[in-house]
Amino acid sequence: MTATYGSVTTAFDEYLSAIRDQAIALNGQTVSVNLMGGQTLSGTLTYVTETVTGWPAGGNRWPNAITLTVSTKVHKVRLDHVSSLGQG
């Protein structure tokens, strides 16, 4: 018997895609980031995609982490560690 994990992976990919879309929309703004462990960070968000040259033409490459500047300290947070992200 072969186990299939498609639905779990798909749901997780959709979750990361939603967090990534929020990060793109809020890039450069002051945000609050709630982490999976229950901590919250507030600061300026940086999340920049880069255009892929070559194959696939016109595609984007998305970083797997956001950068959050809190006061003068820079934090890199993996997208899969973010439970929610919002302005403010």
Side-chain angles (χ1 to χ4, degrees), residues 58-70:
N60 288 319
R61 181 175 297 134
W62 295 280
N64 62 359
I66 60 173
T67 303
L68 193 66
T69 304
V70 180

Side-chain angles (χ1 to χ4, degrees), residues 19-55:
I19 295 293
R20 182 184 68 222
D21 290 346
Q22 285 180 308
I24 291 167
L26 295 171
N27 183 45
Q29 298 182 36
T30 299
V31 299
S32 290
V33 178
N34 296 313
L35 304 176
M36 291 293 185
Q39 304 92 338
T40 300
L41 294 171
S42 295
T44 303
L45 173 70
T46 304
Y47 188 80
V48 180
T49 62
E50 56 181 84
T51 302
V52 176
T53 55
W55 184 258

